[in-house]
């Protein structure tokens, strides 16, 4: 038999085997287990790093998805995930999916370790779809080694609100067409790397001045902007075969969605299933966010989400809350609030997603390799400097003093020193007095003034920072401004050499790849 014919036959046999596995699993699950498949819970962990009793009980009940651990080493997470896989296998249950926000790599959720990748805004600066794909594929392969299956990324929201309080560096920050191209590239990369990718936050969160972690965002979006600006990236993601779409907690009264999109049949059934012909998994944004939790309890939110057409209710509750949520879902199922046929369709989608990853053949966790990933490091990639924005040719021809009282400033100083630069670090606030004092102490050094506003401040960091930098330059001192920001460097208006670096998100998580990019830009 010729090689191509053999490969075709093997592919058909593999597809048939996975289809048979899906059918057997669906037929073996009880209605309560099927409901459990559609929930996301937080993992509990014992002092010795194992799943706690409540987590084991939830897994035994058929829990479909665990959210990522936090504050755990890479090797510790891998050992935990092995136990999760073994707990399900012992009961012949479908493998529990392990999901997380992996927007800059596994360290984003764990707290450290693994490869540190640039945030999506850095990819937006590069405007390089191949770079976007390679980054996502590398991130996906590494995540699978540790036992992650599902990344809640990329963010393909089109940023039109200058005072956006939450997305910032987590969005590509480019126009709808380029956001769609870069987002689709990352979808393909993550999925080629062995993860389920997620296009979020449908139907677009980039025009919101409200942080939905705190409150529901009601947006005055009109139909023309909806179709022309916010939908194209999701259309591209669906065309790229994205495995899941996450629906946001935004209301769009001008489009007939008066409550949260995440709980809306119009959004799930009409827009996603109907107009976009989307056949993958629909998951809500976390139902513990203030946009929902301020008015709806966990169990009621889960019922509302599934009744509205979501496949997965991202309740993100502790594992010990799962029995009460399942009680409410079972009651809704027998009362007809939830549909039995829709329940089976959703569970089948989730089973097909597992088969797509090959989870019916084993977990694939590499404990030996994971131990090597405990010490995190930046992504080793040519041209990393393209993931920051520069203005007026910033460089350090001689000795330098880094000034700033943030983690970003400290890490920039450390990285510059490790690259052979003659650098001192002054952990002082970046104000006129501090900079003038440092300049007097080091008359022959270039001052690198580092400030780290978070996304709500847009990186335009008030007139105060710009005024401080201008004042020092007026004294004839060389100054390079480095600002955590999602805007182009030219918009910082600091009057001289500047680097706009999308290094720190709204939660304070620093991408060391972005720190490395700053150092490359300052050569």
């Amino acid at each position: 038999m010729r090689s191509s014919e053999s490969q075709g036959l093997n592919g058909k046999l593999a597809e048939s085997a996975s289809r048979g596995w899906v059918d057997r699993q669906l037929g073996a699950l009880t209605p309560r287990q099927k409901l459990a498949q559609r929930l996301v819970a937080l993992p509990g962990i014992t002092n010795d790093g194992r799943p706690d009793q409540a987590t084991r009980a939830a897994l035994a009940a058929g829990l479909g998805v665990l959210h990522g651990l936090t504050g755990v080493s890479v090797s510790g997470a891998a050992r935990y995930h092995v136990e999760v896989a073994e707990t399900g296998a012992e009961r012949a249950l479908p493998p529990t999916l392990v999901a997380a926000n992996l927007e800059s790599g596994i360290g984003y959720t764990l707290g450290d370790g693994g490869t540190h990748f640039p945030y999506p805004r850095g990819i937006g600066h590069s405007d390089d779809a191949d770079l976007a794909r390679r980054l996502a594929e590398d991130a996906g392969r590494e995540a699978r080694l540790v036992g992650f299956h599902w990344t809640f990324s990329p963010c393909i929201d089109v940023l039109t609100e200058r005072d956006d309080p939450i997305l910032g560096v987590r969005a590509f920050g480019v126009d709808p067409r380029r956001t769609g191209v870069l987002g689709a590239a990352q979808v393909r990369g993550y999925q080629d790397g062995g993860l389920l990718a997620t296009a979020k936050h449908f139907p677009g969160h980039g025009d919101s001045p409200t942080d939905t972690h705190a409150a529901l965002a009601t947006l005055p979006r009109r139909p023309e902007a909806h179709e022309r600006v916010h939908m194209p990236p999701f259309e591209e993601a669906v065309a790229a075969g994205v495995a899941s779409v996450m629906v946001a907690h935004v209301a769009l009264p001008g489009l007939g969605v008066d409550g949260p999109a995440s709980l809306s049949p119009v959004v799930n059934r009409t827009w996603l299933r109907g107009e976009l012909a989307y056949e993958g998994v629909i998951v809500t944004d976390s139902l513990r966010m203030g946009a929902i939790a301020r008015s709806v309890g966990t169990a009621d939110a889960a019922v509302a989400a599934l009744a509205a057409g979501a496949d997965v209710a991202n309740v993100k509750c502790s594992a010990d809350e799962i029995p009460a949520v399942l009680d409410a879902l079972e009651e809704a199922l027998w009362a007809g609030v939830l549909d039995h046929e829709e329940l089976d369709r959703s569970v089948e989608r989730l089973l097909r997603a597992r088969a797509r990853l090959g989870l019916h053949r084993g977990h694939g966790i590499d404990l030996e390799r994971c131990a090597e990933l405990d010490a995190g490091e930046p992504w080793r990639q040519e041209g990393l400097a393209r993931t920051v924005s520069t203005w007026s040719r910033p460089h350090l021809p001689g000795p330098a003093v880094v000034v700033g009282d943030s983690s970003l400033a400290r890490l920039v100083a450390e990285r510059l020193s490790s690259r052979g630069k003659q650098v001192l670090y002054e952990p002082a606030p970046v104000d006129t007095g501090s900079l003038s004092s440092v300049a007097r102490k080091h008359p022959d050094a270039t001052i690198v003034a580092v400030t780290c506003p978070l996304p709500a401040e847009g990186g335009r960091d008030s007139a105060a920072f710009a005024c401080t930098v201008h004042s020092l330059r007026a004294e004839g001192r060389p100054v390079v401004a480095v600002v955590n920001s999602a805007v182009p460097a030219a918009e910082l208006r600091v009057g001289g050499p500047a680097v706009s670096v999308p290094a720190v998100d709204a939660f304070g998580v620093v991408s060391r790849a972005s720190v490395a990019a700053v150092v490359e830009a300052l050569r």
Side-chain angles (χ1 to χ4, degrees):
M1 184 180 294
R2 291 193 299 271
S3 175
S4 60
E5 292 176 348
S6 176
Q7 290 173 0
L9 177 59
N10 289 338
K12 290 177 181 177
L13 289 172
E15 182 181 348
S16 176
S18 67
R19 201 163 48 234
W21 178 83
V22 168
D23 292 342
R24 288 192 300 275
Q25 289 286 336
L26 186 62
L29 293 169
T30 67
R32 187 176 177 93
Q33 288 172 330
K34 290 175 182 176
L35 292 166
Q37 287 285 294
R38 302 175 69 185
L39 297 176
V40 181
L42 295 172
I45 187 167
T46 62
N47 290 335
D48 59 352
R50 306 181 69 183
D52 65 10
Q53 185 174 353
T55 302
R56 290 183 182 277
L59 295 172
L63 179 70
V65 189
L66 271 181
H67 203 270
L69 291 161
T70 58
V72 179
S73 68
V74 175
S75 55
R79 289 191 295 272
Y80 186 98
H81 294 155
V82 167
E83 290 213 36
V84 168
E86 290 174 346
T87 300
E90 289 166 1
R91 293 165 174 78
L93 290 166
T96 299
L97 292 167
V98 179
N101 298 325
L102 304 176
E103 291 161 7
S104 61
I106 57 177
Y108 186 86
T109 186
L110 297 177
D112 200 1
T115 304
H116 294 244
F117 296 95
Y119 281 112
R121 182 63 184 107
I123 299 300
H125 283 315
S126 78
D127 195 23
D128 185 334
D130 184 59
L131 187 72
R133 183 198 58 76
R134 283 186 284 118
L135 181 157
E137 185 170 356
D138 288 350
R141 293 190 192 286
E142 188 169 276
R144 279 302 301 274
L145 290 175
V146 188
F148 292 101
H149 311 122
W150 190 357
T151 179
F152 290 156
S153 57
C155 289
I156 57 172
D157 307 281
V158 180
L159 280 176
T160 59
E161 171 57 59
R162 289 182 65 85
D163 295 321
D164 160 71
I166 190 63
L167 292 173
V169 302
R170 300 164 62 213
F172 294 110
V174 291
D175 64 62
R177 187 184 69 83
R178 293 308 300 166
T179 293
V181 168
L182 296 175
Q186 289 224 297
V187 164
R188 294 186 179 98
Y190 281 129
Q191 295 184 173
D192 287 347
L195 292 179
L196 305 173
T198 306
K200 70 181 186 184
H201 305 82
F202 190 81
H205 201 306
D207 51 346
S208 172
T210 302
D211 179 359
T212 50
H213 290 85
L216 177 68
T218 300
L219 309 180
R221 187 187 303 171
R222 307 309 302 169
E224 191 272 339
H226 179 72
E227 294 296 334
R228 180 180 58 83
V229 177
H230 299 283
M231 284 299 96
F234 290 98
E235 292 165 356
E236 290 282 349
V238 170
V242 69
S244 68
V245 171
M246 178 177 283
V247 183
H249 307 316
V250 296
L252 302 161
L255 299 169
V257 180
D258 296 324
S262 52
L263 308 182
S264 168
V266 170
V267 173
N268 290 327
R269 294 198 173 97
T270 303
W271 293 0
L272 267 173
R273 297 290 186 217
E275 294 174 7
L276 290 187
Y278 181 61
E279 297 179 354
V281 174
I282 298 175
V283 58
T284 69
D285 207 346
S286 169
L287 297 171
R288 298 302 286 265
M289 292 163 63
I292 302 297
R294 286 175 63 176
S295 58
V296 184
T298 303
D300 289 342
V303 171
L306 300 190
D311 295 302
V312 176
N314 184 8
V315 288
K316 212 173 179 181
C317 61
S318 60
D320 59 6
E321 296 179 70
I322 288 296
V325 176
L326 284 175
D327 288 344
L329 291 175
E330 266 200 306
E331 182 178 343
L333 183 66
W334 302 123
V337 176
L338 301 179
D339 180 76
H340 284 268
E341 291 184 3
E342 190 168 75
L343 172 61
D344 279 358
R345 285 195 295 272
S346 289
V347 174
E348 185 177 355
R349 287 188 189 102
L350 290 162
L351 290 168
R352 286 203 306 266
R354 291 175 173 86
R356 174 178 182 171
L357 299 181
L359 293 182
H360 56 307
R361 296 192 294 268
H363 57 67
I365 297 171
D366 186 337
L367 292 174
E368 184 175 337
R369 176 72 178 111
C370 289
E372 299 171 4
L373 295 172
D374 281 337
E377 60 179 23
W379 190 36
R380 300 188 185 282
Q381 177 66 39
E382 289 291 329
L384 201 56
R386 291 186 295 142
T387 64
V388 300
S389 173
T390 62
W391 187 69
S392 191
R393 299 183 64 187
H395 69 289
L396 302 180
V401 182
V402 176
V403 185
D405 56 354
S406 63
S407 295
L408 177 61
R410 175 178 57 80
L411 290 170
V412 166
E414 290 176 359
R415 183 76 178 176
L416 282 167
S417 295
S418 73
R419 297 297 293 269
K421 291 285 186 181
Q422 185 180 345
V423 174
L424 294 173
Y425 173 46
E426 292 277 359
V430 185
D431 55 36
T432 302
S434 294
L435 287 189
S436 294
S437 175
V438 169
R440 287 193 298 271
K441 285 167 57 181
H442 306 282
D444 298 322
T446 298
I447 305 301
V448 181
V450 181
T451 187
C452 193
L454 295 182
E457 300 163 77
R460 294 174 294 279
D461 193 30
S462 71
F465 176 71
C467 182
T468 295
V469 173
H470 279 284
S471 296
L472 199 58
R473 287 202 175 107
E475 298 174 13
R477 294 304 309 273
V479 186
V480 174
V482 176
V483 183
N484 179 56
S485 171
V487 304
E491 293 187 24
L492 299 175
R493 297 184 176 88
V494 292
V499 181
S500 175
V501 52
V504 188
D505 77 344
F507 307 106
V509 182
V510 184
S511 164
R512 292 178 187 250
S514 295
V515 173
V518 171
V519 173
E520 280 199 23
L522 292 178
R523 282 181 176 174

